[in-house]
Amino acid sequence: MSSVVESLSCFVRSSIGKKILVAATGLVLVLFVLGHMIGNLLAFAGPDAINAYGHLLQTSLHGGGVWIARLGLLAAVVVHVVATISLTRQSRAARPDAYGRQKAQVSGRAARTMIWSGLTLLCFIVFHLMHFTVRNIENFGGPDYEVVLDGEKMHNVYKMVVVGFSHVGVSAFYILSMVLLYGHLSHGVSSLFQTLGLATYRSERIFKAIGHAYALLILVGNCSIPLAVLAGVLK
Amino acid sequence: MSLLNLHLKVWRQHRGQPGHFQDIEAREIPDHASFLEMMDIVNERLITSGQDPVAFDHDCREGICGMCSMQINGVPHGPERATTTCQLHMRHFREGDTIWIEPFRAKAFPVVKDLMVDRGAFDRIQQAGGFITVRTGSAPDANAIPIGKEVADAAMDAAACIGCGACVAACKNASAMLFVSAKAGQLNSLPQGQPEKDRRTLAMVRQMDKEGFGHCTNHYECEAACPKEISVRWITKLNRDYAAAGLREAFVGRQEAAEGGD
Ligand code: HEM
Ligand code: FES
């Protein structure tokens, strides 16, 4: 037993082991981001659709479902952030003296700025949770935000989204964060196939294309909501 | 033949001391000279004028030993694809060009003098697992073990690695993953390498970490810089082999491993 733990902790402390953790937690977050976006797009199907969806999430497994998801996602984010910061620090230390001239031949800007897009996303995640989950940036609770649907009282998610995104500054920060998420994903998604040892000579291009298409899908899908609110399409 | 007048910015450093760029005018360099021959001409003139010549590594001067490590205008071994510094010719430069010449920079490659770095870290990684254990004395029959053509070809591609360190020099993280993956992958793909596969993979990666190289962020600058065009698919394989070896080490006991024939 203890030797299992010892070997595993040695594994996750190694550079490759740590990077595999980054990829595995990245994959969890990638899948979550897609599900989250699809759910949110229900706003375009009208208030009832998204309110019922919100209610379903809140009440699944007698209210336990949402907490299982929250704890799982929290763990994924914490591991992802701790591992990437640790790897970034180790790799900075691996080149203490900078070159006078250094030319990147093939790597793109998105790849070279993963830590910065990531840290901004971390700020965004904290803000987003305070905004729509804890709701202590603006008061989205109380009787003003209650609706009754099929005889059940539930939170008016639709109204919260519309009021939340009607502030231009808030919407602008969401959109900026989504642009950075686009960068993070356009490198990250194809990169995780390499880290997990799945890329091959033949499939590599397909994974690259999937990564870019996925990143674009998330960008367009997520930005459409604040933009629709600002344009008065969702009201 | 035409002659080139070039401005060199050359890194000068003594071991353990801070370094600096020295401006050197390289006049009337024949454009058919190799880069190292240009350095020889510059050094001759430095010596004649009583100055300290620029120390740089070189040996075979035909692209197979991997000694001629230099970062030229921000790229290991200069701007040409799939060439070492000794194979780079001055005709790729223009009259009046400024050329930055620096050592390969990594914590694991300490500067010995000027452009010479100590790449002993690579040797220690090889010693940790980059070998197979065979009975020496009577040479085994060359074709006793059948090896598929594809396997032999792939292993040969990995074996093309000359251990020059360009991958480390090009990587923003000074990662040695391309080198380690080629050396481990070559043996891990061949039947002769199977008995020690897990042990080799774990030992080489651990030594790589211990030497202070960075990690792989999948930018593939190493592949672009490699004079032997080693593919980053070897890194994919190392990631896979390392994950499998690590999990087997954690969960599989000696007896089960023996049953698996490993
Ligand atoms: C929605 C949230 C996020 C998603 C979907 C996500 C996804 C990913 C994915 C798929 C990768 C690629 C893993 C690989 O190369 O194998 C990655 C890498 C990375 N992530 Fe995230 N990430 C998120 C949040 C963050 C945050 C908050 C940080 C903050 C530090 C961060 C920092 C990084 C860094 C630095 C890398 C590159 C690691 C490396 O190449 O070694 N990410 N991310
Ligand atoms: S001197 Fe041998 S490879 Fe350049």
Side-chain angles (χ1 to χ4, degrees), chain A residues 127-135 140 160-161 164-165 174:
Chain A
F127 177 80
H128 181 52
L129 287 176
M130 286 164 67
H131 191 205
F132 284 154
T133 306
V134 186
R135 303 176 198 141
F140 292 128
M160 174 175 80
V161 168
F165 285 146
Y174 271 80

Side-chain angles (χ1 to χ4, degrees), chain B residues 122-145:
Chain B
F122 272 12
D123 299 335
R124 292 187 290 276
I125 293 172
Q126 282 289 63
Q127 283 155 9
F131 54 81
I132 58 166
T133 309
V134 290
R135 196 165 64 91
T136 56
S138 53
D141 178 9
N143 294 317
I145 304 172

Side-chain angles (χ1 to χ4, degrees), chain A residues 4 11 14-15 19 91 93-95 97-101 103-107 111 187 191 194-195 197 199-201 204, chain B residues 74 100 102-103 105-107 168-169 171 173-174 209 212 214-221 232-233 236 239-240 242 250-251:
Chain A
V4 170
F11 180 77
S14 70
S15 59
K19 186 69 197 276
S91 289
R95 162 129 339 114
D97 302 314
Y99 284 110
R101 274 278 179 288
K103 200 155 92 199
Q105 301 194 82
V106 288
S107 69
H187 172 71
S191 177
Q194 165 76 348
T195 306
T200 64
Y201 283 99
E204 190 215 358
Chain B
W100 292 70
E102 306 175 57
R105 295 188 193 274
K107 188 174 128 217
V168 173
C171 177
N173 310 313
D209 287 348
H215 79 296
C216 180
T217 43
N218 306 337
H219 295 186
Y220 310 148
E221 290 293 336
V232 293
R233 291 288 81 78
T236 329
N239 286 335
R240 204 162 50 225
Y242 183 77
F251 294 109

Side-chain angles (χ1 to χ4, degrees), chain B residues 50-65:
Chain B
Q51 295 178 62
D52 193 16
V54 180
F56 64 91
D57 259 332
H58 61 105
D59 189 11
C60 71
R61 298 212 176 195
E62 57 178 10
I64 55 164
C65 75

Side-chain angles (χ1 to χ4, degrees), chain B residues 11 31 57 65 86 114 137 165 168 178 207 216 225-226 235 239 249 260:
Chain B
W11 186 257
D31 67 354
D57 259 332
C65 75
C86 56
D114 300 340
V168 173
L178 193 64
Q207 189 64 34
C216 180
C226 178
I235 299 182
N239 286 335
E249 185 193 49

Side-chain angles (χ1 to χ4, degrees), chain B residues 97-116:
Chain B
D97 274 1
T98 299
I99 309 178
W100 292 70
I101 310 172
E102 306 175 57
F104 285 180
R105 295 188 193 274
K107 188 174 128 217
F109 287 170
V111 171
V112 177
K113 187 166 191 266
D114 300 340
L115 307 175
M116 287 172 78

Side-chain angles (χ1 to χ4, degrees), chain A:
Chain A
M1 161 65 195
S2 75
S3 68
V4 170
V5 175
E6 219 169 274
S7 303
L8 284 181
S9 80
C10 177
F11 180 77
V12 298
R13 272 184 281 118
S14 70
S15 59
I16 299 183
K18 228 177 264 175
K19 186 69 197 276
I20 288 175
L21 281 187
V22 173
T25 52
L27 179 63
V28 170
L29 296 175
V30 163
L31 295 175
F32 166 75
V33 163
L34 180 66
H36 190 54
M37 181 195 78
I38 294 171
N40 290 347
L41 288 177
L42 285 175
F44 289 100
D48 289 354
I50 192 162
N51 288 340
Y53 167 71
H55 189 62
L56 177 79
L57 292 185
Q58 291 289 338
T59 51
S60 71
L61 299 179
H62 305 287
V66 72
W67 278 104
I68 295 174
R70 279 173 184 163
L71 291 177
L73 288 167
L74 180 70
V77 169
V78 169
V79 170
H80 192 82
V81 171
V82 169
T84 50
I85 291 179
S86 146
L87 284 170
T88 305
R89 288 171 54 107
Q90 276 168 13
S91 289
R92 297 253 160 106
R95 162 129 339 114
D97 302 314
Y99 284 110
R101 274 278 179 288
Q102 191 177 19
K103 200 155 92 199
Q105 301 194 82
V106 288
S107 69
R109 181 181 322 189
R112 277 180 274 123
T113 51
M114 287 298 273
I115 189 66
W116 301 117
S117 57
L119 287 173
T120 316
L121 283 171
L122 185 61
C123 298
F124 168 75
I125 293 169
V126 171
F127 177 80
H128 181 52
L129 287 176
M130 286 164 67
H131 191 205
F132 284 154
T133 306
V134 186
R135 303 176 198 141
N136 57 354
I137 303 259
E138 192 173 339
N139 185 14
F140 292 128
D144 279 359
Y145 284 91
E146 266 168 19
V147 280
V148 178
L149 189 66
D150 296 335
E152 272 197 83
K153 214 157 67 165
M154 59 186 68
H155 185 237
N156 193 342
V157 177
Y158 185 85
K159 185 175 171 192
M160 174 175 80
V161 168
V162 171
V163 174
F165 285 146
S166 56
H167 308 289
V168 178
V170 171
S171 284
F173 179 56
Y174 271 80
I175 290 168
L176 170 77
S177 303
M178 288 309 111
V179 171
L180 291 172
L181 180 61
Y182 169 77
H184 206 80
L185 293 175
S186 66
H187 172 71
V189 171
S190 61
S191 177
L192 76 86
F193 289 100
Q194 165 76 348
T195 306
L196 297 177
L198 301 171
T200 64
Y201 283 99
R202 292 193 179 175
S203 63
E204 190 215 358
R205 285 213 197 127
I206 302 174
F207 290 141
K208 273 225 170 88
I210 291 176
H212 283 285
Y214 181 87
L216 191 64
L217 176 77
I218 299 293
L219 177 71
V220 172
N222 277 343
C223 288
S224 70
I225 300 166
L227 288 176
V229 170
L230 290 179
V233 177
L234 294 177
K235 53 185 180 255

